[in-house]
Amino acid sequence: MTSITNDLLYDELFIAGEWCPSVSGRRIPILNPATGETIAEVAYGGRDDTRMALDRAAEALPAWARLTAVERARFLRRWYDLILSHIDELAAILTAEQGKPIREARAEIAYGAQFIEWFAEEGKRAYGEIIPTNLPGRRLLTIKQPVGVTAAVTPWNFPMAMIARKVGPAMAAGCPMVIKPASETPLSALALAGLAVQAGVPEGVLSVIPGPGSEVGDELATNKTVKAISFTGSTEVGKRLMAQAAGTVKKVALELGGNAPILVFDDADLDTAVDGVMASKFRNAGQTCVCANRIYVQDGIYEDFISKFNAAVQSMTVGDGLDADTDQGPLINDEAVAKVEHHIADAVSRGATVTTGGGRHGLGGTYFEPTVIVGATSEMAVAQEETFGPLAAVFRFKTEAEGIAQANDTPFGLAAYFFTRDLARAWRVGEGLEYGVVAVNTGSFSYEGAPFGGVKESGVGREGSAHGIEEFLDIKYMCIDGLETE
């Protein structure tokens, strides 16, 4: 077992302020994808543990909901400050269990913490409204109230940030939350819980239950105590969770799969476009739901783009994420490597050409070479599915209309990017792309003050911004009659 000296490394379930083993006594090894070694063996929860956490959350709800938004903000602000003051320890845990470069881990933690700070303030602005009356002696108004106990199911690729942008608005709204982190990466979630204790968050307001989706996730989706559930993950699992949640008519927020296109038009600044594609495609070794999965380059600059892009990809350093010089770490597991290999083999069999990389890296394990293929076409698997790995597939297009049509030719609609210096085109294409997020002339758009979420089969609801807290609030209409004056 790999030894990590870190005061924030916890290996038990966190239920209502207490660290405890699972009812079943089960434990699961957490592996470092860079070395294959075991970091820790974590308690693996089940239905009984989840029900216990939900019962404690229900007990904590009345007192937490009664607090003023200002009082809840104080807890969140202390938690935010503690996260930033422990960023090095948190980053070491995140990189060890997930594999991403340490500088990306630090950036994720800072980014996630900003959601907690943002919603500490946004909770104070959950405004109601006064409605002009329809009858004398009557007054009409709305107020917003917490929905109740909430739940979150989070993925392995951003094990801290995806939690923060769910639990921040839930707690700010007055809702306790039970979190099921991904089984591959529970240590970041447990470390956050440890800091929540230090921040004085009351018992029951936050619980973390690592465990299988078939038990913990299923219980969260079907248990009547849960009034709203937020999920980030695959479209397949999200659809199943949505169907389960329908049994008790929960509020559901889903951030699901993407198949993000990037359009590089003839009039784009080439260096800006290459930098933007690199930032989008290879962040976290291509393991993000908004990574560029399909890169469409217009005829006029196609060859120049390929030349510059290949050079940029070839300059990347692959290695252990804890090495400060690393640009790309390992993939999360062998299944992820197999999917990249399948997409490359399928593309080559259909006429594509590998211009950079193309195989497992010499470091072994789950390391993979940053790869570029050219001559990609719409019938290839890489065009139809998220690769979720360091494979950049480059397509060619002629006209603006063709480019938009190809970019929209998918059931998904999470994020899209394009590069142009034509202002009129920026508006036309931006409005024509069927995606919840569109980034123009940049490969990075994340900001806690902006709404994030997809359309079509990429999900429902929004995270971040003033809209994010609405997922955890109910609107109550009050009609007050009998106010006639003498």
Side-chain angles (χ1 to χ4, degrees):
M1 182 180 293
T2 302
S3 176
I4 296 179
T5 303
N6 196 315
D7 291 339
L8 295 180
L9 190 66
Y10 300 98
D11 60 4
E12 302 289 0
L13 307 182
F14 180 74
I15 300 178
E18 298 180 0
W19 300 100
C20 51
S22 64
V23 170
S24 68
R26 288 184 298 176
R27 305 189 74 81
I28 184 172
I30 307 304
L31 305 181
N32 182 338
T35 64
E37 296 178 311
T38 299
I39 305 166
E41 291 187 350
V42 172
Y44 207 48
R47 289 187 183 275
D48 290 339
D49 307 287
T50 307
R51 289 169 183 158
M52 187 186 310
L54 291 174
D55 288 344
R56 297 297 301 276
E59 293 169 5
L61 172 63
W64 184 249
R66 276 196 305 268
L67 292 179
T68 67
V70 173
E71 290 171 316
R72 290 194 294 267
R74 292 192 184 112
F75 287 106
L76 288 168
R77 182 69 201 201
R78 285 199 292 270
W79 196 18
Y80 163 79
D81 288 337
L82 284 165
I83 290 170
L84 291 189
S85 67
H86 290 82
I87 194 168
D88 290 334
E89 299 100 304
L90 291 168
I93 290 172
L94 198 161
T95 291
E97 68 176 343
Q98 201 278 331
K100 68 180 56 177
I102 191 71
R103 62 176 178 272
E104 288 191 22
R106 289 176 59 87
E108 177 184 336
I109 292 158
Y111 170 63
Q114 288 160 4
F115 283 93
I116 293 173
E117 180 192 39
W118 173 271
F119 285 108
E121 299 303 313
E122 202 59 34
K124 304 173 188 177
R125 293 185 280 272
Y127 302 129
E129 60 184 346
I130 300 297
I131 302 169
T133 188
N134 61 329
L135 291 173
R138 173 179 287 183
R139 297 297 180 267
L140 314 176
L141 67 145
T142 65
I143 61 174
K144 293 182 180 179
Q145 295 181 300
V147 298
V149 174
T150 65
V153 179
T154 58
W156 53 262
N157 56 341
F158 289 94
M160 186 277 181
M162 296 302 100
I163 289 174
R165 71 184 193 186
K166 298 178 190 300
V167 74
M171 288 175 58
C175 302
M177 176 169 272
V178 177
I179 299 166
K180 190 203 96 63
S183 296
E184 296 89 345
T185 57
L187 299 175
S188 291
L190 295 169
L192 285 178
L195 292 177
V197 172
Q198 294 183 37
V201 172
E203 294 180 3
V205 173
L206 175 67
S207 292
V208 179
I209 311 293
S214 59
E215 295 185 45
V216 179
D218 182 78
E219 187 65 34
L220 294 175
T222 58
N223 192 298
K224 65 181 181 181
T225 300
V226 177
K227 304 305 181 186
I229 187 165
S230 180
F231 170 78
T232 297
S234 72
T235 296
E236 178 186 7
V237 175
K239 288 179 178 179
R240 185 163 64 248
L241 183 149
M242 192 176 196
Q244 291 175 312
T248 50
V249 196
K250 304 183 193 307
K251 294 186 76 170
V252 177
L254 303 175
E255 191 256 284
L256 307 178
N259 187 2
I262 285 187
L263 294 164
V264 183
F265 289 98
D266 285 346
D267 58 17
D269 179 279
L270 198 54
D271 290 332
T272 299
V274 170
D275 289 345
V277 174
M278 291 291 296
S280 173
K281 175 66 258 183
F282 292 103
R283 184 164 61 111
N284 197 20
Q287 299 173 117
T288 91
C289 54
V290 296
C291 275
N293 202 59
R294 298 168 293 146
I295 303 165
Y296 296 98
V297 182
Q298 200 165 14
D299 274 342
I301 59 169
Y302 183 85
E303 300 300 338
D304 289 341
F305 176 88
I306 294 298
S307 176
K308 285 181 174 286
F309 186 49
N310 275 323
V313 174
Q314 289 164 5
S315 71
M316 294 178 67
T317 299
V318 177
D320 191 323
L322 293 174
D323 187 334
D325 294 328
T326 292
D327 298 312
Q328 178 188 299
L331 300 189
I332 189 67
N333 54 34
D334 290 331
E335 290 78 9
V337 174
K339 187 172 186 181
V340 177
E341 290 179 322
H342 165 64
H343 280 192
I344 293 172
D346 175 78
V348 170
S349 73
R350 297 174 185 270
T353 301
V354 176
T355 58
T356 297
R360 295 180 182 238
H361 196 276
L363 290 171
T366 60
Y367 289 100
F368 203 90
E369 295 174 333
T371 299
V372 178
I373 62 172
V374 300
T377 55
S378 61
E379 73 275 7
M380 296 174 181
V382 72
Q384 304 298 322
E385 308 168 1
E386 274 190 296
T387 303
F388 238 64
L391 167 60
V394 184
F395 301 70
R396 193 168 190 152
F397 73 97
K398 291 182 171 60
T399 67
E400 179 182 304
E402 178 189 351
I404 294 173
Q406 291 187 39
N408 288 338
D409 186 21
T410 175
F412 305 104
L414 187 54
Y417 311 76
F418 68 94
F419 291 83
T420 181
R421 285 181 286 190
D422 184 326
L423 182 59
R425 170 173 279 164
W427 279 105
R428 287 194 306 270
V429 177
E431 292 175 354
L433 290 170
E434 298 167 352
Y435 291 83
V437 177
V438 176
V440 186
N441 292 329
T442 180
S444 178
F445 55 76
S446 297
Y447 169 49
E448 68 276 8
F452 179 82
V455 298
K456 300 192 287 188
E457 294 188 24
S458 285
V460 294
R462 292 295 181 268
E463 294 183 317
S465 81
H467 302 286
I469 199 168
E470 299 297 330
E471 306 294 342
F472 304 100
L473 292 169
D474 283 330
I475 297 175
K476 179 177 286 184
Y477 161 48
M478 297 179 65
C479 175
I480 305 174
D481 214 333
L483 302 178
E484 294 89 351
T485 58
E486 294 182 359

